[in-house]
Amino acid sequence: MTSPNNSRKPLIAGNWKMNLDRKSIQELVGAVSSGIVGRGAVDVAFFPPYVYLPEVLRACEGTNILVGSQNASEQASGAFTGEISVSMLKDIGIPSVLIGHSERRHVYGETLEQIHRKVAIALEAGLQVVLCLGETLQEREDGRTEAVCREQLSTALEGVSRVDLTRITLAYEPVWAIGTGVVATPEQAAAVHLYVRGVLAGLFDDSGAQSTRILYGGSVKADNVTDLMSVPDIDGALVGGASLAAKSFLPIIEGAQG
Ligand code: 13P
């Protein structure tokens, strides 16, 4: 039942969504970067809004903090007003992109096909991808959690090579747990993470599945992260609300070290 591979380094990532401003970002990045000095057992990442990416990247220079985008277009370039391409992200030195967040799927209606194209174009551009997946409350109540996760995963990763899998991190984010304060229990999360890792093994191979990080997201806080991280298949957290202030984010990083 448990993963034999303990070599996956935990990752605690902050998805700022459409929050913060220049001043609060400077304070947050400053406090987190000095707060993690000497705590190299956990990787840390920020996903700021597009317009702040260059200055967050600059502010994180010389630290181990990874900076990624919350989204990218599935189009390469052209007449797509308001969109940002993967080559633009690459051009300004952004190494990573979140794809398929539930707010993109459910608020902005991104389709499985769009998400598949985003994953493909991001990998082609040489970026790392954090692919989000997860079921709604209705889907869980209908007993469809596994089917939904399998479909989201297999469609998004269609055509992805085994080599490119090494640039993918997954984030299981049950939609009912996002921003609600209702965190999945470690048992609920464990069951889905194990299932998702099994799907990965089927799509690729066992070593690919064992070496891919699977984060949990949805109401992660300092007081629940240690229990979640004690689940062998949970390799970190994608944090929304609690990532917006150092006083709530740093204790999560600390709690993830066990
Ligand atoms: P919350 O931590 O605010 O529930 O958000 C989770 C999330 O959506 C991270 O991507």
Side-chain angles (χ1 to χ4, degrees):
M1 287 289 281
T2 58
S3 297
N5 182 327
N6 293 323
S7 65
R8 298 182 301 267
K9 190 175 177 187
L11 168 64
I12 300 295
N15 173 12
W16 298 349
K17 308 190 179 183
M18 198 170 73
N19 292 298
L20 302 175
D21 57 18
R22 288 181 99 166
K23 187 166 180 291
S24 52
I25 286 171
Q26 270 171 14
E27 287 166 10
L28 174 59
V29 174
V32 171
S33 55
S34 49
I36 60 169
V37 171
R39 298 188 184 283
V42 175
D43 285 337
V44 176
F46 291 138
F47 289 86
Y50 283 134
V51 292
Y52 297 119
L53 284 171
E55 66 188 81
V56 174
L57 204 54
R58 259 195 313 279
C60 290
E61 256 170 39
T63 74
N64 290 325
I65 301 173
L66 178 95
V67 181
S69 164
Q70 296 174 15
N71 188 21
S73 175
E74 71 276 26
Q75 307 289 347
S77 66
F80 301 103
T81 303
E83 292 292 290
I84 300 288
S85 70
V86 289
S87 60
M88 292 171 185
L89 296 174
K90 185 93 178 140
D91 192 30
I92 65 164
I94 296 296
S96 178
V97 58
L98 272 187
I99 294 178
H101 191 277
S102 80
E103 286 143 24
R104 301 301 318 169
R105 294 178 192 263
H106 298 293
V107 183
Y108 292 98
E110 281 187 14
T111 63
L112 294 173
E113 174 54 22
Q114 253 176 310
I115 290 163
H116 169 237
R117 287 168 60 191
K118 288 183 181 206
V119 169
I121 202 167
L123 290 173
E124 202 182 319
L127 296 177
Q128 298 166 35
V129 168
V130 178
L131 173 67
C132 305
L133 60 140
E135 80 288 0
T136 63
L137 184 58
Q138 189 63 56
E139 289 164 342
R140 173 164 283 262
E141 287 174 352
D142 292 346
R144 298 184 51 230
T145 298
E146 292 188 350
V148 167
C149 290
R150 169 180 287 277
E151 183 181 42
Q152 291 178 349
L153 195 57
S154 58
T155 54
L157 298 186
E158 200 186 320
V160 171
S161 70
R162 173 67 179 79
V163 170
D164 283 350
L165 178 65
T166 59
R167 283 188 285 126
I168 292 182
T169 295
L170 301 181
Y172 168 58
E173 298 205 303
V175 181
W176 47 272
I178 295 178
T180 58
V182 182
V183 64
T185 63
E187 294 72 25
Q188 285 172 318
V192 181
H193 280 238
L194 186 64
Y195 176 76
V196 165
R197 206 176 293 286
V199 174
L200 264 189
L203 293 173
F204 295 92
D205 55 36
D206 203 45
S207 81
Q210 291 302 333
S211 52
T212 300
R213 285 197 282 211
I214 309 177
L215 313 180
Y216 166 80
S219 297
V220 173
K221 304 275 184 296
D223 63 7
N224 56 35
V225 70
T226 307
D227 281 352
L228 287 163
M229 292 292 298
S230 70
V231 174
D233 281 299
I234 297 184
D235 307 314
L238 184 55
V239 185
S243 73
L244 300 177
K247 68 175 188 309
S248 46
F249 194 51
L250 280 171
I252 292 177
I253 297 168
E254 194 153 326
Q257 328 217 39

